[in-house]
Amino acid sequence: MQLLKDMILSEGRIVGTDILKVDSFLNHQIDPRLMEEIGKAFSSIFSSCGVTKVVTLESSGIAPALSTGQQLGVPVIFAKKTASRNLDNDAFLSTVHSFTKGNDYVIRISKKYLKSDDVVLLIDDFLAKGCALKGLIDIVNQSGARIAGAGIVIEKGFQEGGAMIRDMGVRVHSLAIIKEMSEKENHISFADDANV
Amino acid sequence: MQLLKDMILSEGRIVGTDILKVDSFLNHQIDPRLMEEIGKAFSSIFSSCGVTKVVTLESSGIAPALSTGQQLGVPVIFAKKTASRNLDNDAFLSTVHSFTKGNDYVIRISKKYLKSDDVVLLIDDFLAKGCALKGLIDIVNQSGARIAGAGIVIEKGFQEGGAMIRDMGVRVHSLAIIKEMSEKENHISFADDANV
């Protein structure tokens, strides 16, 4: 997706070997025009799959998931990271490891909103090691719903998550796959078009 | 907003004296059509205010804020509740008390995205005791930006937050104000139209 790649190149900042900061347009400040285009792209890619629910994880996944749900005309569910008295105890749970924070956390979706006849499109902002996405897949599998695929805004192609999730038989479509990036040279190349 | 009130009446569930569960369409599962109408309503109400940024708090504020930002054509910023190595240390901070969880937490917005010439529309899903909104106002005031007002999806009119924020001189517009609700009688009445 050219608009996204352009914004990654012009506004993204590389920190160390594996952090790409895109908080000016994706996960702290959100560019509404980009988000609309992201929704249209995922909607187009998965339009023939009979999707009935879009599922993501709070917080950064909510914007691209909502935009996609609006285009597809289906409800959006965001998994919660914390227990809340506002969420039923009757929920599907999965434990996710965070490499960023060095801990495990539990994600949950109420059993009321995922049924065995649902067809789920998973959406997330990043795919790196794949832990969060694996947790979402686990939850959807518990519900008996079918997974149409996963739409990822930015995949770090140099980390193992993409291969792991695809090896699980889940169709993954990422709008930008980063092949390599270098803080020192301030250089980013994309897997599907190294010259962008 | 009639669509919202209808959904509160048909799908909302009252728990105890002060909890209204609307997780089937607002803050766990999201109804995309309702969210679009919410964005249009806030955009219309604040259309003449010269808004340059929509500001909310993760996670439940993101969907109505994004929808509003898309209608107004301005960027959306969501304040973060947790420190992250992906967010600059150079941030405006404010401490918020959570009555639900019985603790304090710090919210933050990067100084890069709020400037003194910004005009900010605050958006949140609920206004009850007003602690979260007060924290957002504190952050915007630190930045020197001007506050156009606050757009709230559901205000609990029987709690003190609405009066407190209005007494601070902030224009608050809530799409549904609950005057009273009763779990026992499963009854909800709205402040602006008790017969709805």
Side-chain angles (χ1 to χ4, degrees):
Chain A
M1 184 181 173
Q2 198 55 49
L3 175 63
L4 173 64
K5 290 178 185 171
D6 289 346
M7 291 184 81
I8 292 170
L9 291 174
S10 64
E11 299 189 30
R13 288 188 302 125
I14 306 157
V15 180
T17 55
D18 64 343
I19 297 179
L20 174 65
K21 296 181 71 151
V22 288
D23 57 8
S24 70
F25 62 87
L26 187 61
N27 49 21
H28 181 33
Q29 182 168 256
I30 300 168
D31 183 292
R33 180 175 156 242
L34 172 70
M35 211 45 79
E36 189 175 347
E37 295 303 317
I38 286 171
K40 285 179 181 170
F42 287 138
S43 169
S44 169
I45 292 161
F46 294 97
S47 63
S48 63
C49 301
V51 172
T52 63
K53 296 276 169 83
V54 172
V55 169
T56 188
L57 181 62
E58 63 179 354
S59 292
S60 302
I62 295 174
L66 174 62
S67 188
T68 305
Q70 284 178 323
Q71 295 294 330
L72 289 170
V74 302
V76 175
I77 304 165
F78 59 95
K80 303 261 191 175
K81 287 181 181 172
T82 51
S84 160
R85 63 172 181 163
N86 288 333
L87 176 58
D88 282 341
N89 294 325
D90 196 24
F92 300 114
L93 308 179
S94 189
T95 301
V96 173
H97 182 70
S98 168
F99 283 93
T100 312
K101 294 179 181 165
N103 60 7
D104 286 351
Y105 59 96
V106 174
I107 62 174
R108 66 199 76 218
I109 290 181
S110 168
K111 291 183 179 175
K112 283 189 291 190
Y113 306 127
L114 272 185
K115 301 294 181 189
S116 59
D117 57 353
D118 274 318
V119 179
V120 171
L121 172 58
L122 302 165
I123 297 285
D124 211 356
D125 59 334
F126 269 98
L127 173 57
K129 290 177 183 286
C131 298
L133 190 55
K134 200 174 152 198
L136 288 178
I137 291 167
D138 178 27
I139 279 181
V140 176
N141 286 341
Q142 289 176 48
S143 77
R146 189 161 65 79
I147 295 174
I152 303 297
V153 182
I154 301 175
E155 178 178 342
K156 290 174 177 169
F158 54 89
Q159 291 187 308
E160 65 269 31
M164 178 187 72
I165 301 295
R166 290 179 179 95
D167 284 349
M168 293 170 71
V170 174
R171 176 185 173 196
V172 179
H173 194 105
S174 303
L175 300 181
I177 302 176
I178 294 170
K179 190 167 73 175
E180 52 189 15
M181 60 185 200
S182 158
E183 179 182 18
K184 200 172 166 188
E185 299 165 27
N186 193 32
H187 173 75
I188 297 173
S189 66
F190 296 100
D192 45 349
D193 185 349
N195 298 316
V196 170
Chain B
M1 186 180 171
Q2 198 55 47
L3 175 63
L4 174 64
K5 290 178 185 172
D6 290 346
M7 292 184 79
I8 292 170
L9 291 174
S10 64
E11 299 189 31
R13 288 188 302 126
I14 306 158
V15 181
T17 57
D18 64 343
I19 297 180
L20 174 65
K21 296 181 69 149
V22 288
D23 57 8
S24 70
F25 62 87
L26 188 61
N27 49 23
H28 181 32
Q29 182 170 257
I30 300 168
D31 183 292
R33 179 174 157 241
L34 173 70
M35 211 46 78
E36 189 174 347
E37 295 303 317
I38 286 171
K40 285 179 181 169
F42 287 138
S43 169
S44 169
I45 292 161
F46 294 98
S47 62
S48 62
C49 300
V51 172
T52 62
K53 296 276 168 84
V54 171
V55 169
T56 190
L57 181 62
E58 64 178 352
S59 292
S60 303
I62 295 173
L66 174 64
S67 187
T68 305
Q70 284 177 324
Q71 294 293 331
L72 288 169
V74 301
V76 175
I77 304 165
F78 59 96
K80 303 262 190 172
K81 287 181 180 171
T82 51
S84 160
R85 64 171 180 164
N86 287 334
L87 175 58
D88 282 342
N89 294 325
D90 197 24
F92 300 113
L93 307 179
S94 189
T95 301
V96 173
H97 182 70
S98 168
F99 283 92
T100 313
K101 295 182 182 164
N103 61 6
D104 288 349
Y105 59 95
V106 174
I107 62 174
R108 68 199 76 219
I109 289 181
S110 168
K111 291 183 179 175
K112 283 188 290 190
Y113 306 126
L114 272 184
K115 301 295 180 186
S116 59
D117 58 352
D118 273 319
V119 180
V120 172
L121 173 57
L122 302 166
I123 297 284
D124 211 357
D125 60 334
F126 269 99
L127 173 58
K129 290 178 182 285
C131 298
L133 190 54
K134 200 174 152 199
L136 288 177
I137 291 168
D138 179 28
I139 279 181
V140 177
N141 286 340
Q142 289 176 48
S143 76
R146 189 160 66 76
I147 296 175
I152 303 297
V153 181
I154 301 175
E155 178 178 343
K156 291 175 177 168
F158 55 88
Q159 290 188 308
E160 65 269 32
M164 178 187 74
I165 301 295
R166 289 178 180 96
D167 284 348
M168 293 170 72
V170 174
R171 176 185 172 197
V172 179
H173 194 104
S174 303
L175 300 181
I177 302 178
I178 294 169
K179 191 166 75 176
E180 51 190 16
M181 60 185 199
S182 158
E183 180 182 16
K184 201 172 164 188
E185 300 164 28
N186 194 29
H187 173 75
I188 297 173
S189 67
F190 295 101
D192 45 347
D193 185 350
N195 298 316
V196 170

